[in-house]
Amino acid sequence: MKIAAFLSALALGLGSLAAAAADVETRYDVVRALGAENGVALACGYVDETRRMKRAMVDNLPKERALGLAFEESTNAAYLAFLKAGEPCPAEAGFSGRVDAAISELQATFAESAE
């Protein structure tokens, strides 16, 4: 009987661990998505948008170096990819809507993590 209870507790613990790992990966995905938008904003000279994104990072994320690094790496990769592709910049109004959506996703994700 003790073995069955132990195995049941172990299964619950592993399930919780897997859920926590998925939560961490979701957090990083959201930060990377915002970083990708930041790279495009930098390439296009949309300074107000870059300021909004950085402010959203400061206001919503815990002060973890790894999250800031994920944002910067994603920003750099997106910036270089955008320049290499040679595509025209998106219209600023439409781009601002993309940034709004990315910031909303960031806020929602990190509000859930804080609970």
Side-chain angles (χ1 to χ4, degrees):
M1 189 64 156
K2 289 183 179 183
I3 292 175
F6 171 75
L7 291 176
S8 178
L10 182 62
L12 286 173
L14 291 176
S16 296
L17 187 57
D23 182 50
V24 167
E25 192 57 36
T26 298
R27 292 172 59 195
Y28 278 92
D29 288 345
V30 169
V31 168
R32 287 183 196 110
L34 189 65
E37 296 295 358
N38 193 49
V40 174
L42 286 171
C44 294
Y46 297 156
V47 177
D48 290 339
E49 297 301 329
T50 63
R51 286 185 186 133
R52 279 195 326 129
M53 287 182 266
K54 287 184 181 183
R55 174 58 36 206
M57 293 280 294
V58 169
D59 290 347
N60 294 286
L61 270 64
K63 306 306 181 239
E64 295 177 17
R65 184 176 187 274
L67 290 169
L69 186 58
F71 178 78
E72 291 300 323
E73 287 174 349
S74 181
T75 294
N76 292 338
Y79 177 83
L80 293 173
F82 189 83
L83 293 179
K84 185 176 181 179
E87 295 179 19
C89 290
E92 194 165 1
F95 183 74
S96 184
R98 287 174 26 191
V99 172
D100 289 341
I103 289 173
S104 292
E105 184 69 22
L106 181 90
Q107 290 169 331
T109 299
F110 282 88
E112 291 171 8
S113 316
E115 295 174 352

